[in-house]
Amino acid sequence: MIEHKVEPLFSKVFFSSLLNLNDNEMNVIRNEIDEEYEKVNNGINDTTEITKSKKLLEKNNLIFLKNEILKHFYYFNEQYLKVENDFKITTSWATKSLKGQRSHFHNHSNCWYSGVFYVNIEDDMGSITFDTFADERFSLKKSEYNVYNSKEYTYKPIEKQMILFPSEVYHCINDNNTDKVRNSIAFNIIPVGDIGNKDSDSFLEIK
């Protein structure tokens, strides 16, 4: 056996957890996302719909959900990212996928981490796929895929689960192949306070 060490340098850090929400709280969430939606991707029929409101988690009835999300995010940061800033959620919205609907690959601008909380999700209702869109030198076949050789990863979430990922990572919602409605809540997070060194020409203060 060859003595060795393998390290995933410069990796993108993803996080997932189950939020501690009871049935009554989930029913409140489902009622609050029952509002006006609009098509994304220029209104093509088979694309996911999103709420016109991009401040969903600012609703009084959803403050408990916002606080629970931030609680998990701060745990993630304290345990792994070790960033000294505070953070805030800037935008948040609900998504709705009917049968046959999906989203295109996209990433999120003007934010640091993005997340999704799954309200209604079952098998075959639309997993989420991440892609690096890396410029690979060769297109090579692999005997198996793992975190070291994959450029794409499909994640199958469950109800009450939240995932967090760097906002620059491209992702898409896959087809809902059921007759049920797939619902989730997406959100963006930014650091607040001092960004960079105060004596630098790139210093920024976010309040």
Side-chain angles (χ1 to χ4, degrees):
M1 181 176 180
I2 299 175
E3 185 175 334
H4 70 285
K5 179 170 66 173
V6 176
E7 297 178 288
L9 294 179
F10 315 121
S11 60
K12 303 291 186 181
V13 186
F14 289 67
F15 177 86
S16 68
S17 61
L18 287 176
L19 300 193
N20 184 26
L21 301 171
N22 59 42
D23 290 343
N24 288 335
E25 289 170 324
M26 290 300 293
N27 286 333
V28 169
I29 294 169
R30 293 186 178 102
N31 287 334
E32 291 298 321
I33 65 174
D34 184 18
E35 58 173 65
E36 190 173 2
Y37 284 74
E38 60 186 358
K39 291 284 189 179
V40 297
N41 200 22
N42 297 320
I44 298 173
N45 287 334
D46 61 357
T47 58
T48 294
E49 302 171 37
I50 63 175
T51 52
K52 288 190 173 182
S53 169
K54 303 304 182 291
K55 296 287 185 181
L56 190 75
L57 292 176
E58 299 305 314
K59 286 186 170 186
N60 289 334
N61 288 342
L62 291 180
I63 294 300
F64 74 91
L65 176 58
K66 177 183 176 181
N67 290 338
E68 182 71 6
I69 287 171
L70 286 172
K71 173 185 172 182
H72 285 241
F73 180 85
Y74 272 99
Y75 174 83
F76 168 48
N77 178 63
E78 289 165 3
Q79 295 296 316
Y80 301 99
L81 302 180
K82 309 292 185 180
V83 174
E84 295 181 354
N85 292 71
D86 285 328
F87 303 90
K88 69 177 181 180
I89 295 173
T90 54
T91 53
S92 54
W93 61 97
T95 70
K96 177 172 69 174
S97 294
L98 306 178
K99 184 174 183 179
Q101 291 183 335
R102 69 187 74 84
S103 80
H104 60 292
F105 271 107
H106 64 284
N107 61 6
H108 297 190
S109 300
N110 299 326
C111 46
W112 186 52
Y113 258 80
S114 297
V116 184
F117 169 67
Y118 291 92
V119 182
N120 296 316
I121 187 77
E122 297 178 11
D123 287 344
D124 222 19
M125 285 179 70
S127 53
I128 183 170
T129 295
F130 299 94
D131 198 304
T132 66
F133 286 98
D135 185 14
E136 295 184 334
R137 301 297 88 190
F138 294 93
S139 180
L140 302 174
K141 293 182 179 179
K142 284 89 173 182
S143 60
E144 67 177 20
Y145 288 93
N146 54 49
V147 296
Y148 302 105
N149 66 13
S150 298
K151 66 181 293 292
E152 181 181 285
Y153 183 80
T154 296
Y155 194 87
K156 294 184 177 180
I158 60 175
E159 191 174 292
K160 298 185 183 181
Q161 190 168 31
M162 179 190 71
I163 61 172
L164 298 167
F165 52 91
S167 299
E168 72 272 13
V169 176
Y170 281 87
H171 54 283
C172 73
I173 299 171
N174 296 309
D175 289 36
N176 181 355
N177 294 316
T178 75
D179 294 321
K180 299 179 181 178
V181 179
R182 176 196 190 278
N183 293 112
S184 63
I185 295 175
F187 53 90
N188 292 320
I189 294 174
I190 64 169
V192 296
D194 293 348
I195 310 295
N197 298 319
K198 288 190 175 181
D199 58 354
S200 168
D201 60 4
S202 62
F203 174 73
L204 178 66
E205 183 181 8
I206 302 177
K207 297 181 179 180

XYZ file of all heavy atoms in Angstrom, residues 59-127:
591
model
N -41.759 38.905 6.385
C -43.136 38.836 6.868
C -43.162 38.557 8.367
O -42.387 37.715 8.861
C -43.904 37.721 6.141
C -44.295 38.021 4.710
C -45.167 36.876 4.185
C -45.797 37.194 2.851
N -46.741 36.133 2.427
N -44.039 39.211 9.076
C -44.126 39.017 10.527
C -44.334 37.557 10.904
O -43.759 37.061 11.876
C -45.256 39.868 11.113
C -44.924 41.355 11.100
O -43.754 41.736 11.116
N -45.953 42.193 11.078
N -45.155 36.869 10.117
C -45.466 35.472 10.433
C -44.342 34.502 10.102
O -44.434 33.311 10.426
C -46.744 35.041 9.711
C -47.984 35.672 10.292
O -47.972 36.168 11.421
N -49.074 35.670 9.534
N -43.287 35.002 9.442
C -42.173 34.123 9.073
C -40.870 34.506 9.767
O -39.815 33.958 9.438
C -41.968 34.128 7.556
C -43.064 33.453 6.734
C -42.731 33.521 5.246
C -43.253 31.989 7.166
N -40.942 35.420 10.735
C -39.734 35.797 11.468
C -39.125 34.590 12.182
O -37.900 34.449 12.278
C -40.029 36.936 12.456
C -40.394 38.214 11.682
C -38.840 37.204 13.371
C -39.311 38.717 10.748
N -39.962 33.698 12.666
C -39.455 32.507 13.341
C -38.617 31.656 12.392
O -37.601 31.071 12.791
C -40.611 31.679 13.933
C -41.425 30.929 12.925
C -41.112 29.627 12.569
C -42.522 31.537 12.302
C -41.868 28.930 11.633
C -43.278 30.853 11.371
C -42.954 29.549 11.031
N -39.022 31.580 11.115
C -38.267 30.810 10.130
C -36.948 31.507 9.809
O -35.896 30.856 9.722
C -39.096 30.627 8.863
C -38.391 29.924 7.693
C -37.912 28.532 8.101
C -39.310 29.848 6.480
N -36.995 32.818 9.643
C -35.769 33.584 9.395
C -34.772 33.379 10.529
O -33.575 33.144 10.277
C -36.117 35.068 9.249
C -34.907 35.964 9.066
C -35.323 37.428 9.003
C -34.123 38.344 8.910
N -34.518 39.775 8.871
N -35.241 33.438 11.761
C -34.352 33.268 12.911
C -33.761 31.857 12.962
O -32.593 31.669 13.325
C -35.102 33.575 14.205
C -35.429 35.050 14.352
O -34.792 35.906 13.743
N -36.442 35.358 15.150
N -34.564 30.866 12.616
C -34.078 29.481 12.625
C -33.016 29.284 11.538
O -31.996 28.616 11.757
C -35.252 28.520 12.412
C -34.884 27.046 12.439
C -34.524 26.526 13.821
O -34.658 27.272 14.806
O -34.101 25.352 13.919
N -33.238 29.875 10.363
C -32.254 29.796 9.282
C -30.936 30.428 9.713
O -29.854 29.856 9.532
C -32.800 30.474 8.013
C -33.887 29.596 7.378
C -31.682 30.753 7.006
C -34.640 30.267 6.248
N -31.014 31.633 10.299
C -29.796 32.318 10.722
C -29.092 31.573 11.855
O -27.856 31.563 11.922
C -30.122 33.749 11.151
C -30.429 34.714 10.007
C -30.919 36.047 10.543
C -29.195 34.916 9.121
N -29.853 30.938 12.723
C -29.254 30.127 13.790
C -28.378 29.030 13.187
O -27.238 28.810 13.631
C -30.358 29.522 14.658
C -29.880 28.521 15.690
C -31.055 27.893 16.418
C -30.616 26.753 17.320
N -31.775 26.106 17.986
N -28.878 28.351 12.181
C -28.117 27.277 11.541
C -26.943 27.843 10.743
O -25.866 27.239 10.715
C -29.034 26.454 10.643
C -29.931 25.532 11.400
N -29.908 24.156 11.249
C -30.895 25.776 12.331
C -30.804 23.605 12.041
N -31.422 24.572 12.703
N -27.159 28.994 10.096
C -26.055 29.588 9.350
C -24.916 29.988 10.277
O -23.736 29.757 9.973
C -26.517 30.799 8.551
C -25.392 31.438 7.772
C -25.048 30.943 6.522
C -24.664 32.491 8.302
C -23.989 31.497 5.810
C -23.604 33.047 7.594
C -23.278 32.550 6.344
N -25.239 30.593 11.412
C -24.197 30.998 12.358
C -23.458 29.786 12.920
O -22.241 29.840 13.145
C -24.791 31.842 13.487
C -24.829 33.320 13.161
C -26.001 33.926 12.710
C -23.685 34.101 13.290
C -26.037 35.276 12.401
C -23.717 35.454 12.984
C -24.888 36.041 12.537
O -24.900 37.380 12.229
N -24.169 28.696 13.136
C -23.504 27.466 13.575
C -22.522 26.999 12.507
O -21.363 26.647 12.812
C -24.535 26.375 13.868
C -23.916 25.041 14.184
C -23.470 24.759 15.475
C -23.759 24.077 13.193
C -22.874 23.532 15.769
C -23.156 22.862 13.477
C -22.724 22.589 14.759
O -22.130 21.374 15.047
N -22.962 26.972 11.268
C -22.108 26.591 10.135
C -20.863 27.466 10.088
O -19.736 26.973 9.941
C -22.941 26.720 8.848
C -22.163 26.634 7.565
C -21.244 25.626 7.339
C -22.378 27.564 6.554
C -20.535 25.559 6.133
C -21.700 27.498 5.357
C -20.771 26.488 5.153
N -21.038 28.764 10.232
C -19.903 29.680 10.187
C -18.952 29.464 11.366
O -17.738 29.391 11.186
C -20.388 31.125 10.172
C -19.237 32.107 10.164
O -18.445 32.145 9.226
N -19.123 32.899 11.216
N -19.521 29.329 12.563
C -18.678 29.177 13.751
C -17.872 27.876 13.727
O -16.717 27.834 14.168
C -19.550 29.221 15.004
C -20.115 30.611 15.292
C -21.256 30.575 16.291
O -21.567 29.471 16.795
O -21.851 31.639 16.558
N -18.463 26.826 13.177
C -17.801 25.524 13.175
C -16.823 25.352 12.011
O -15.814 24.648 12.151
C -18.852 24.404 13.122
C -19.743 24.325 14.336
C -18.981 23.973 15.592
O -18.137 23.079 15.593
N -19.261 24.685 16.673
N -17.097 25.983 10.881
C -16.333 25.677 9.668
C -15.726 26.896 8.971
O -14.543 26.898 8.645
C -17.209 24.905 8.681
C -17.732 23.614 9.257
C -19.024 23.542 9.781
C -16.932 22.476 9.323
C -19.493 22.364 10.343
C -17.396 21.300 9.880
C -18.677 21.247 10.383
O -19.131 20.093 10.954
N -16.503 27.918 8.712
C -16.002 29.048 7.922
C -15.128 29.983 8.738
O -14.192 30.580 8.212
C -17.179 29.811 7.304
C -18.093 28.986 6.396
C -19.213 29.870 5.853
C -17.317 28.346 5.250
N -15.475 30.177 10.027
C -14.679 30.967 10.957
C -14.558 32.441 10.561
O -13.541 33.091 10.831
C -13.266 30.368 11.105
C -13.223 28.882 11.424
C -13.747 28.574 12.808
C -13.588 27.098 13.140
N -14.091 26.750 14.487
N -15.588 32.985 9.925
C -15.594 34.401 9.552
C -16.071 35.221 10.740
O -17.040 34.856 11.407
C -16.511 34.631 8.323
C -16.639 36.118 8.014
C -15.960 33.879 7.119
N -15.410 36.354 11.007
C -15.698 37.139 12.207
C -16.858 38.115 12.040
O -17.334 38.683 13.022
C -14.438 37.903 12.627
C -13.303 36.977 13.067
C -12.067 37.740 13.503
O -12.045 38.982 13.357
O -11.127 37.093 13.989
N -17.325 38.343 10.825
C -18.415 39.285 10.587
C -19.744 38.778 11.113
O -19.933 37.577 11.348
C -18.563 39.566 9.092
C -17.403 40.335 8.527
O -16.305 39.815 8.390
N -17.647 41.589 8.191
N -20.700 39.699 11.253
C -22.097 39.317 11.374
C -22.655 39.143 9.967
O -21.999 39.464 8.973
C -22.880 40.397 12.126
C -22.593 40.354 13.621
O -22.337 39.250 14.143
O -22.621 41.418 14.258
N -23.896 38.666 9.885
C -24.489 38.384 8.590
C -25.958 38.787 8.585
O -26.584 38.890 9.637
C -24.375 36.892 8.254
C -22.961 36.387 8.261
C -22.403 35.879 9.418
C -22.192 36.453 7.121
C -21.094 35.439 9.440
C -20.880 36.014 7.123
C -20.334 35.504 8.288
N -26.497 38.997 7.387
C -27.926 39.246 7.269
C -28.457 38.656 5.970
O -27.720 38.504 4.990
C -28.232 40.739 7.354
C -27.758 41.566 6.170
C -28.184 43.025 6.348
C -27.749 43.886 5.169
N -28.171 45.311 5.345
N -29.731 38.325 6.002
C -30.427 37.862 4.799
C -30.904 39.091 4.032
O -31.565 39.959 4.592
C -31.607 36.949 5.168
C -31.092 35.659 5.823
C -32.446 36.615 3.938
C -32.190 34.763 6.364
N -30.547 39.168 2.771
C -30.926 40.330 1.965
C -32.215 40.099 1.198
O -33.146 40.895 1.289
C -29.812 40.690 0.972
O -29.473 39.516 0.195
C -28.583 41.183 1.705
N -32.285 39.032 0.442
C -33.476 38.726 -0.352
C -33.939 37.309 -0.060
O -33.140 36.435 0.285
C -33.197 38.869 -1.869
O -32.038 38.091 -2.213
C -32.969 40.324 -2.244
N -35.230 37.092 -0.197
C -35.809 35.767 0.034
C -37.112 35.661 -0.737
O -37.865 36.620 -0.834
C -36.045 35.531 1.528
O -36.821 36.571 2.090
N -37.379 34.487 -1.270
C -38.565 34.297 -2.107
C -38.922 32.810 -2.108
O -38.106 31.957 -1.770
C -38.302 34.775 -3.538
C -37.184 34.044 -4.233
C -37.299 32.995 -5.104
C -35.776 34.292 -4.098
N -36.059 32.571 -5.512
C -35.107 33.357 -4.917
C -35.019 35.214 -3.370
C -33.711 33.309 -5.019
C -33.633 35.167 -3.470
C -32.998 34.239 -4.291
N -40.149 32.526 -2.461
C -40.597 31.140 -2.572
C -40.578 30.711 -4.029
O -40.738 31.529 -4.938
C -42.001 30.984 -1.998
N -40.353 29.437 -4.239
C -40.412 28.860 -5.584
C -41.522 27.812 -5.634
O -41.827 27.162 -4.629
C -39.084 28.208 -5.986
O -38.878 27.015 -5.207
C -37.917 29.161 -5.770
N -42.080 27.680 -6.810
C -43.160 26.706 -7.022
C -42.928 26.000 -8.351
O -42.809 26.653 -9.393
C -44.519 27.413 -7.025
C -45.699 26.488 -7.304
C -47.033 27.206 -7.094
C -47.275 28.270 -8.144
N -48.628 28.869 -8.015
N -42.843 24.671 -8.308
C -42.687 23.877 -9.526
C -43.888 22.954 -9.682
O -44.149 22.105 -8.820
C -41.413 23.031 -9.481
O -40.270 23.842 -9.481
N -44.612 23.138 -10.773
C -45.703 22.232 -11.115
C -45.147 21.077 -11.941
O -43.955 21.037 -12.253
C -46.780 22.993 -11.890
C -47.326 24.260 -11.221
C -48.350 24.936 -12.126
C -47.925 23.943 -9.863
N -45.993 20.156 -12.297
C -45.546 18.993 -13.068
C -44.859 19.443 -14.363
O -45.382 20.273 -15.102
C -46.737 18.097 -13.403
C -46.330 16.807 -14.121
C -47.516 15.878 -14.315
C -47.072 14.567 -14.961
N -48.209 13.632 -15.130
N -43.651 18.896 -14.600
C -42.911 19.192 -15.817
C -42.095 20.465 -15.777
O -41.394 20.785 -16.741
N -42.157 21.209 -14.665
C -41.411 22.463 -14.591
C -40.033 22.262 -13.969
O -39.813 21.353 -13.174
C -42.195 23.503 -13.782
C -43.444 23.990 -14.492
C -44.172 25.068 -13.723
O -44.073 25.169 -12.513
N -44.929 25.884 -14.442
N -39.118 23.149 -14.321
C -37.728 23.112 -13.861
C -37.169 24.523 -13.914
O -37.841 25.437 -14.396
C -36.897 22.212 -14.776
C -36.713 22.796 -16.164
C -36.042 21.834 -17.113
N -36.951 20.781 -17.518
C -37.830 20.905 -18.503
N -37.932 22.044 -19.171
N -38.626 19.905 -18.830
N -35.941 24.707 -13.473
C -35.266 25.993 -13.662
C -34.000 25.785 -14.484
O -33.465 24.673 -14.560
C -34.918 26.654 -12.321
O -33.741 26.088 -11.776
N -33.520 26.849 -15.087
C -32.268 26.807 -15.836
C -31.098 26.936 -14.849
O -31.285 27.314 -13.692
C -32.221 27.951 -16.849
C -32.309 29.307 -16.220
N -33.454 29.776 -15.588
C -31.378 30.283 -16.086
C -33.220 30.979 -15.117
N -31.983 31.326 -15.394
N -29.886 26.649 -15.306
C -28.698 26.860 -14.478
C -28.494 28.348 -14.257
O -28.584 29.148 -15.194
C -27.464 26.253 -15.134
C -27.228 24.816 -14.762
C -27.475 23.813 -15.676
C -26.762 24.479 -13.494
C -27.261 22.476 -15.343
C -26.545 23.147 -13.148
C -26.790 22.141 -14.077
N -28.211 28.724 -13.031
C -27.986 30.119 -12.687
C -27.184 30.187 -11.390
O -27.056 29.193 -10.677
C -29.325 30.842 -12.501
C -30.136 30.307 -11.359
N -30.834 29.106 -11.420
C -30.347 30.787 -10.108
C -31.435 28.878 -10.267
N -31.153 29.882 -9.446
N -26.632 31.356 -11.103
C -26.067 31.609 -9.789
C -26.601 32.937 -9.282
O -27.411 33.579 -9.963
C -24.533 31.549 -9.802
C -23.918 32.586 -10.716
O -24.595 33.446 -11.287
N -22.605 32.522 -10.885
N -26.190 33.362 -8.099
C -26.771 34.545 -7.477
C -25.719 35.637 -7.317
O -24.627 35.379 -6.811
C -27.353 34.193 -6.099
C -28.484 33.218 -6.168
N -29.276 32.914 -5.072
C -28.983 32.480 -7.185
C -30.193 32.027 -5.423
N -30.018 31.731 -6.702
N -26.058 36.842 -7.728
C -25.145 37.982 -7.644
C -25.382 38.776 -6.357
O -26.433 38.682 -5.729
C -25.339 38.904 -8.852
O -25.092 38.221 -10.058
N -24.385 39.570 -5.999
C -24.477 40.508 -4.868
C -24.812 39.822 -3.551
O -25.568 40.343 -2.727
C -25.513 41.595 -5.160
C -25.150 42.419 -6.387
O -23.972 42.645 -6.654
N -26.149 42.842 -7.132
N -24.243 38.641 -3.342
C -24.409 37.922 -2.078
C -23.234 36.972 -1.898
O -22.456 36.757 -2.828
C -25.741 37.179 -2.025
S -26.138 36.257 -3.521
N -23.110 36.434 -0.704
C -21.959 35.580 -0.383
C -22.353 34.111 -0.317
O -21.754 33.275 -0.973
C -21.351 36.022 0.942
C -20.093 35.307 1.304
C -18.980 35.168 0.518
C -19.798 34.648 2.536
N -18.013 34.457 1.193
C -18.486 34.139 2.443
C -20.511 34.459 3.724
C -17.867 33.432 3.473
C -19.897 33.772 4.750
C -18.597 33.263 4.627
N -23.367 33.811 0.491
C -23.921 32.455 0.550
C -25.396 32.507 0.194
O -26.080 33.497 0.468
C -23.736 31.837 1.942
C -22.585 30.855 1.992
C -21.283 31.295 2.108
C -22.809 29.482 1.878
C -20.218 30.408 2.121
C -21.755 28.582 1.892
C -20.461 29.048 2.018
O -19.413 28.158 2.016
N -25.858 31.445 -0.439
C -27.273 31.303 -0.767
C -27.787 30.017 -0.139
O -27.008 29.119 0.204
C -27.482 31.269 -2.285
O -27.079 32.487 -2.873
N -29.097 29.948 0.009
C -29.662 28.772 0.638
C -31.053 28.462 0.142
O -31.712 29.295 -0.480
N -31.480 27.239 0.412
C -32.830 26.790 0.070
C -33.387 26.007 1.248
O -32.705 25.150 1.819
C -32.841 25.896 -1.179
C -34.280 25.539 -1.553
C -32.139 26.557 -2.353
N -34.622 26.326 1.615
C -35.359 25.566 2.625
C -36.512 24.873 1.916
O -37.288 25.498 1.192
C -35.888 26.479 3.729
C -36.858 25.797 4.653
C -36.432 24.774 5.482
C -38.194 26.170 4.672
C -37.332 24.132 6.326
C -39.097 25.535 5.514
C -38.667 24.514 6.335
N -36.651 23.564 2.149
C -37.630 22.765 1.407
C -38.917 22.603 2.209
O -38.926 22.029 3.294
C -37.016 21.413 1.036
C -35.930 21.600 0.013
C -34.604 21.781 0.397
C -36.230 21.670 -1.341
C -33.603 22.002 -0.542
C -35.237 21.892 -2.291
C -33.939 22.057 -1.881
O -32.959 22.294 -2.813
N -39.992 23.123 1.623
C -41.305 23.118 2.269
C -42.097 21.876 1.881
O -42.586 21.136 2.740
C -42.094 24.396 1.911
C -43.441 24.413 2.627
C -41.285 25.646 2.245
N -42.252 21.651 0.581
C -42.925 20.456 0.059
C -41.996 19.793 -0.954
O -41.756 20.342 -2.024
C -44.246 20.812 -0.632
C -45.265 21.397 0.323
O -45.439 20.900 1.428
N -45.934 22.448 -0.090
N -41.480 18.640 -0.610
C -40.560 17.942 -1.509
C -40.654 16.443 -1.262
O -40.715 15.994 -0.116
C -39.107 18.435 -1.315
C -38.171 17.852 -2.353
C -38.621 18.171 0.096
C -38.263 18.496 -3.698
N -40.738 15.679 -2.330
C -40.734 14.224 -2.272
C -39.865 13.712 -3.415
O -39.409 14.488 -4.267
C -42.163 13.663 -2.404
C -43.096 14.056 -1.283
C -44.508 13.522 -1.487
O -44.691 12.673 -2.395
O -45.414 13.956 -0.767
N -39.642 12.419 -3.439
C -38.874 11.824 -4.527
C -39.504 12.177 -5.871
O -40.728 12.153 -6.025
C -38.831 10.302 -4.384
C -37.928 9.856 -3.246
O -37.121 10.689 -2.774
O -38.037 8.686 -2.831
N -38.658 12.513 -6.809
C -39.067 12.793 -8.188
C -39.840 14.098 -8.340
O -40.501 14.323 -9.347
C -39.901 11.627 -8.749
C -39.501 11.301 -10.180
O -38.387 11.696 -10.598
O -40.300 10.674 -10.884
N -39.783 14.970 -7.317
C -40.454 16.263 -7.426
C -39.497 17.379 -7.857
O -39.902 18.528 -7.982
C -41.110 16.649 -6.094
C -42.372 15.872 -5.797
S -43.114 16.326 -4.202
C -43.713 17.971 -4.549
N -38.213 17.017 -8.056
C -37.265 18.026 -8.501
C -36.104 18.187 -7.552
O -36.162 18.981 -6.609
N -35.044 17.428 -7.791
C -33.815 17.576 -7.010
C -33.093 18.847 -7.457
O -33.535 19.544 -8.368
C -32.920 16.345 -7.216
O -32.726 16.118 -8.600
